[in-house]
Amino acid sequence: MTIKPAAYDKEVLYAFRALFDGKANDGQQKRAMEWLLLNLCHIGMASFSETDRETAFLEGERSVGLQIARLREPEALALITPRKAKAEAKND
């Protein structure tokens, strides 16, 4: 199985460096997330490949991307609110 690293350019590299340093502007944040989700995690693309093993590997990458993308959905907050309330009630 030969999985090549996702291609990136200087814009992506500098966007991630700024993000890691906590200094990324709006455009850099969007560029980093776009590259992460579309290029590294392949969301929006079929992950079927020549072998079952390679398909499984690509599905794993895609799964991570989908989980990250779900965090932007309004429903994501509703999923953690009950847990937090339950933990706070337990501490009382």
Side-chain angles (χ1 to χ4, degrees):
M1 175 172 79
T2 305
I3 302 292
K4 297 179 183 176
Y8 58 89
D9 56 20
K10 283 184 179 180
E11 184 180 328
V12 169
L13 178 68
Y14 290 129
F16 270 98
R17 287 183 179 178
L19 191 63
F20 290 137
D21 292 339
K23 300 176 182 176
N25 63 34
D26 289 348
Q28 289 171 317
Q29 292 174 44
K30 289 176 184 176
R31 183 68 182 116
M33 289 305 295
E34 176 186 272
W35 180 86
L36 177 72
L37 295 174
L38 299 178
N39 293 74
L40 184 63
C41 296
H42 321 288
I43 66 170
M45 293 176 50
S47 54
F48 298 108
S49 191
E50 293 178 20
T51 67
D52 289 344
R53 185 174 180 187
E54 194 168 327
T55 298
F57 187 85
L58 293 171
E59 269 298 297
E61 291 180 333
R62 187 171 169 272
S63 176
V64 170
L66 291 172
Q67 289 183 54
I68 292 169
R70 282 188 197 117
L71 294 174
R72 69 181 175 197
E73 302 300 326
E75 297 82 17
L77 185 58
L79 293 174
I80 62 170
T81 303
R83 281 192 238 159
K84 184 178 178 184
K86 187 183 278 188
E88 289 173 355
K90 199 180 224 184
N91 292 333
D92 288 340

